[in-house]
Amino acid sequence: MRRCCGLVTLKNEPVPLKGISVQLKVQGFVADVCSTLSYENSESSPVEAVFVFPMEEDSSVYDFHAEIGGVKIQAEIREKQEARDTYDNALSSGQQAFLLEESDESRDVFRLSVGSLPAGQKATVCLSYVTELAVEADGALRYCLPAVLNPRYTPAGAQSLTTPVSGASGEPVPYSLSFSAHLASPIGVAQVKSNCDLTSLEYLRDDKTQAQVSLSPGHKFDRDVELLVYYSHPHQPTAIVEGGLASATPGSLMGDPLVMVSLYPEFPAAASTPQSSCGEFIFLVDRSGSMGCPMSNEKAEPKRIQSAQDTLLLLLKSLPLGCFFNIYGFGSHFEAFFPESVEYTQQTMDSALGKVKGMGADFGGTEILEPLKDIYSKACRPGHPRQLFVFTDGEVGNTKDVINEVKKHAGTHRCFTFGIGEGASTALIKGMARAGSGHPEFITGKDRMQPKVVQSLRFALQPAVNNIVLNWDVPAGLEVVPVSETPKVLFRGHGSILYAQLKGKFDESAVGRASLQYSLGDEPHKTEISFKLQLDKHTGLTTHRLAARTLICSLEEGGSVEGEGGDKEKVKERVVKISTEARVISTHTAFIAVNKDLNQAVQGPLIQRNMRPQMMHYSSMKRMRMSSGGFGAFAGSQPRLRQHCMVGAGCRVSLLQLPNTAANQCGETGPDKEDPMLTLISLQKADGSWELNESLVSVFEKKEQEAISKMPAEVSDKAVWATVLALLWLHSFRAELKEEWEFLAMKALSWVKAQAGASLKPCLEAGNSLLGCKVEPQTLAL
């Protein structure tokens, strides 16, 4: 089949999308993005172009305009049905029109209709949005420009957001992407990384508080563009005070100044280690057909289900003895490994790992709601707080129903989510984690999966943070009205952005303070910041737009209007009012732009075209018109070429594969390429120990007999000697990956101390001699 990209006809005719330009401005922990898409209708008939595209779930679209034939058409934001009617009326009367709307079901899906573009005419469409930036495990801020919208599975009887389509992938797209970023932070820009080639980072000030960087020229938009921004002092809290909109009503959200406070608390080291073996861990794993797709279109890339299997193995090896666990697989139906959660022992771990090896992407569609209900229907174990880990490629159509189900049970279940592969729905992954007071992670590109998995486990095992209180201290005559809720949960390495409205007498020479107080165990802690009430001149209305989006999301997720309770119509009216005043799109509003200067009707029949992704393993496209009730069956933008997740000497090997399959997995022949650290992890027992055998000592590049001959006379248990050797090897030869194996090592060290007593010192000396390393006793806390 001939491959077609982008805007296509039913006959797979070429795309009129000619180029994309993106300008990114990062200010502290938020980003302001302006995207420009250039089209050209090179055909003999006018065209209606339909482009469905993904965006980060917490993005706030605030501006939209188009330019045709040198005429700029500025969009207005209106109630959604009114905007749709205006668009239809404009097309019926032969006018040019543009409609931008957010999906009713998922906040990370947008649909742009380019209406009645005359033959031979060029059009430029510009949209701007602001978004909060996620904090990665290593402290980096992550911005992602998605290049694909995966088809979303929709339960029977519901309306589809996207349509699976056929087509080969991996070929170059016929247009380029221009991307530049301006970075600003009072705590200093340290470095920038990306999965794409960048120009050199250029500092604009000597104190490194401002910098700029761009994609290398000629970049083809064939993958996500991921930018990782590292600050010099990431844990230093920051505050920005922004003036209101002069034309807005005083006292309104847009009329008053707002303060945005970014807090990234650094917990004491003791708080980062698990304090007990309590907990019930339930792993909910997507086994739908889409999980059989590869993580990337590159050669020999593993499938998504394989990445989920790897994730499960690492988690199962890292769990503490004495906890409880269970594993669910879900698709069109669901199955649990055990009828009820079981205690974590060697026997149950081995049983679970055996079943994990047999997991496939063979369960049909992505029905996540029913297994969630089954999990929530079972009573929690006293003294063992339930932690839910969800692994999915995020391709569901009933996102809001799923999030609402999680939210209903947030008091007894925490929810940690993993988006597997590029194109996972940010609305689903972030929404479930937010509703369940957990943490979301996305496993894409060159990311090592292990640190992200262990970070979430670390969060789940952390002692509870209680008594969270946010206090404001401002001069007399000034009132602070919080816009965002005080965080319900705090994690080490997890930032919070808080918004508040400043009402009353405003003195720019005065100083305000914000303090976040909480208890960790029995110890009180505080993160505090002082800030001048001086208005920042460089933010535009970024803070106001993000605050408006926060308030809109709170209302849409079940909030109530003061004095009206949860009346849906009153809530909708309130959302529409905030949305139109702030010019921030919502589920109930849309941007509409009509070229009112066009004096004559466009001649010729109108052709509709749909932008669509090129996904493998799907049937041919079924073209459907959008009904007045919501999104029809439309597909998205171009496929992303995901990067290899590399281990060892450049070959990605599943933890669950046998060694002799490694070469085949990488599309190579010759010697095995399995990563020795992953082999070591797979050999650890549930109690933290290792057995002394040929498989283990081969990791050390030794023979079993040689290891036995070097065992100290004081040690009678070969397992003690083997476990010490494994710990020494990790600390000496994989020290840079400590964040991945630290839980395994903690469990091993506890076991060996309980077994060995006074014989640890000779074990340490003999182990260093055998392995050729120099690990000091204090390194192992001896």
Side-chain angles (χ1 to χ4, degrees), residues 159-191:
Q159 194 171 38
S160 176
L161 294 176
T162 58
T163 298
V165 297
S166 62
S169 54
E171 299 175 22
V173 293
Y175 51 84
S176 61
L177 168 69
S178 170
F179 180 93
S180 62
H182 181 276
L183 316 170
S185 173
I187 55 181
V189 179
Q191 64 175 323

Side-chain angles (χ1 to χ4, degrees), residues 8 46 120 149 155 213 238 261 281 313 380 445 482 496 525 540 560 584 636 643-644 650 740 753 766:
V8 296
L149 173 64
V213 71
T238 61
V261 176
F281 300 88
L313 176 71
C380 295
S496 297
H525 295 274
S560 59
V584 168
Q643 305 294 316
H644 284 284
E740 302 179 20
K753 281 183 176 180

Side-chain angles (χ1 to χ4, degrees), residues 10 12 117 124 191 223 247 266 447 467 529 648-649 673 696:
L10 293 179
N12 285 337
L117 181 60
T124 299
Q191 64 175 323
R223 73 192 72 174
S247 60
E266 190 170 21
D447 294 341
N467 307 318
I529 182 174
K673 301 269 186 182
L696 177 66

